[in-house]
Amino acid sequence: MPTLMPGPELTVPTLQGKDGMALRRPSRRMLAIIGIVLVAVVGGAIGVSVVFAPPTPASTVQAYFHHLAEGDTAAAFKLVAHDAGDDLTGSPLLVPKAVADARTRPSHARILRTESRTASTGQEIDVVQVSYKLGHETVTQSIMVTRASGGGSTYLLQSPFLVIGLQSVAGRPVTINGIDVGSDDSDELYAFPGVYTATARGGALIDGSTRSGVIDSGEVTGQPIITFDFAAPTLAPGADAAVQTKVKEHIDVCARSTEDSPDNCPFSVYIFGSELSVKWSITTYPTVAVTPGYDPSSGQHVDFSSQTDGVAHYVATYSDYDGKKQTETGDRSFSVQGSAAASSNDITVNFGW
């Protein structure tokens, strides 16, 4: 076998300290540790630069929907521009209760695009189009973004809300997600993006109704619109009988009159003479048909009219032109019509012809 000759000896440079003492060369393990530390430092620097990156119109919109998804409406509202005298803070639905249930909050927000524009006032604005889910529906919304007053890098969102419309309320108190919003038709209720359910509370005469909103993404205005249409109101159970009872009570009051033509009553008789006194009695009460009122702002209001006529019997005593006492009897057929309204305590009827 050939004899292996030793090769040249490798020399490792010796590191010298300030005092001339030899320093040990770092081991491979130490070099690996130093490398890890350097990577961590560099990575940390990169992370810090991302956290403190200045906001953009898109990131401001993204932050708005992030806060709403977390149920933090206060933080979301801080990103909204509002002028002095703006009454948005008093809107009944711009409160935490509106999206207190996590199932009502927007999710899966995604920025689609951002477009820069110049407003008619010369102000530079950005329009950010975002899509998000409300329940199982996907909504696309365009939100205007402007710089905060005073300049700087802060952005604010212009009206990033839903517009809620109420139709055919019929004067019933309405709650949306458990929040009272009044008893009138309206098309200017503002709300955070969310899933909403509206209930028109019924009463003694008009039945209640609960509706889920129909969403229109609002391609013209950029603001999605949710419409709650309660449709034509219907009678509450027992309303017919309740109105019939009140009509009967009113007729009984009329029958206690001694006048030949009692005020606000459906029957009368005309007798010529003096010292006239009439005694009324009801032979047959009319039956009535009840329908919801035509006035959508009149609350618990219904109309009624006769299905069958009633009959009132009278006995009249009077003095004729010669001063002689006379008695006259007879029957008067009559019908009824009018309206009824319900309050928290009672039902009142008004007769009208």
Side-chain angles (χ1 to χ4, degrees):
M1 293 180 59
T3 302
L4 296 178
M5 300 297 292
E9 183 178 355
L10 296 176
T11 59
V12 177
T14 302
L15 300 179
Q16 299 289 329
K18 289 183 178 180
D19 55 359
M21 295 183 61
L23 297 178
R24 294 181 59 190
R25 179 179 179 84
S27 66
R28 292 183 178 180
R29 182 170 180 272
M30 180 61 68
L31 289 174
I33 293 174
I34 293 172
I36 292 172
V37 171
L38 288 174
V39 169
V41 171
V42 173
I46 294 173
V48 169
S49 67
V50 171
V51 170
F52 290 98
T56 65
S59 69
T60 305
V61 172
Q62 194 78 52
Y64 172 76
F65 280 93
H66 171 76
H67 294 318
L68 291 181
E70 295 294 318
D72 191 349
T73 56
F77 198 76
K78 287 180 180 178
L79 299 176
V80 178
H82 51 280
D83 299 327
D86 197 336
D87 63 352
L88 287 179
T89 55
S91 181
L93 295 175
L94 296 178
V95 294
K97 184 178 179 180
V99 288
D101 187 338
R103 293 171 297 181
T104 66
R105 301 171 192 162
S107 62
H108 300 84
R110 184 167 62 93
I111 304 300
L112 301 180
R113 65 172 178 269
T114 300
E115 180 181 346
S116 298
R117 299 180 185 175
T118 302
S120 57
T121 59
Q123 182 184 17
E124 294 296 324
I125 61 173
D126 291 279
V127 178
V128 178
Q129 189 178 62
V130 58
S131 73
Y132 53 91
K133 280 189 171 293
L134 296 181
H136 297 295
E137 287 201 62
T138 298
V139 179
T140 301
Q141 183 173 358
S142 295
I143 300 176
M144 286 198 306
V145 185
T146 59
R147 288 189 182 273
S149 59
S153 59
T154 302
Y155 291 92
L156 294 175
L157 313 184
Q158 303 285 338
S159 299
F161 307 119
L162 306 183
V163 179
I164 292 182
L166 302 176
Q167 298 177 6
S168 303
V169 171
R172 292 167 290 182
V174 175
T175 59
I176 298 179
N177 285 15
I179 300 168
D180 293 329
V181 296
S183 57
D184 298 320
D185 287 3
S186 174
D187 57 2
E188 293 184 350
L189 289 173
Y190 293 98
F192 292 113
V195 178
Y196 293 95
T197 301
T199 298
R201 190 167 69 247
L205 297 178
I206 300 296
D207 205 6
S209 181
T210 297
R211 291 285 187 273
S212 296
V214 177
I215 302 177
D216 180 341
S217 284
E219 295 180 1
V220 176
T221 63
Q223 283 183 283
I225 299 170
I226 299 181
T227 302
F228 294 100
D229 188 348
F230 294 102
T234 58
L235 294 177
D240 293 271
V243 173
Q244 181 74 59
T245 297
K246 289 299 179 178
V247 167
K248 181 179 181 296
E249 291 176 359
H250 187 90
I251 291 173
D252 287 340
V253 172
C254 290
R256 291 196 288 269
S257 173
T258 58
E259 301 292 330
D260 61 340
S261 183
D263 289 339
N264 195 32
C265 292
F267 47 77
S268 61
V269 61
Y270 297 98
I271 298 175
F272 297 98
S274 59
E275 299 176 335
L276 174 64
S277 179
V278 180
K279 182 178 181 180
W280 293 97
S281 60
I282 305 302
T283 303
T284 304
Y285 289 95
T287 58
V288 297
V290 182
T291 56
Y294 291 105
D295 183 357
S297 63
S298 59
Q300 289 286 312
H301 169 91
V302 296
D303 296 322
F304 62 84
S305 59
S306 291
Q307 280 186 313
T308 62
D309 288 346
V311 177
H313 180 74
Y314 69 91
V315 177
T317 59
Y318 62 96
S319 296
D320 62 16
Y321 290 112
D322 296 327
K324 294 180 180 180
K325 290 294 184 180
Q326 301 290 343
T327 299
E328 182 180 322
T329 66
D331 294 309
R332 305 294 289 181
S333 177
F334 66 93
S335 62
V336 295
Q337 65 179 30
S339 62
S343 65
S344 57
N345 300 319
D346 200 9
I347 296 172
T348 58
V349 294
N350 293 289
F351 284 30
W353 293 270

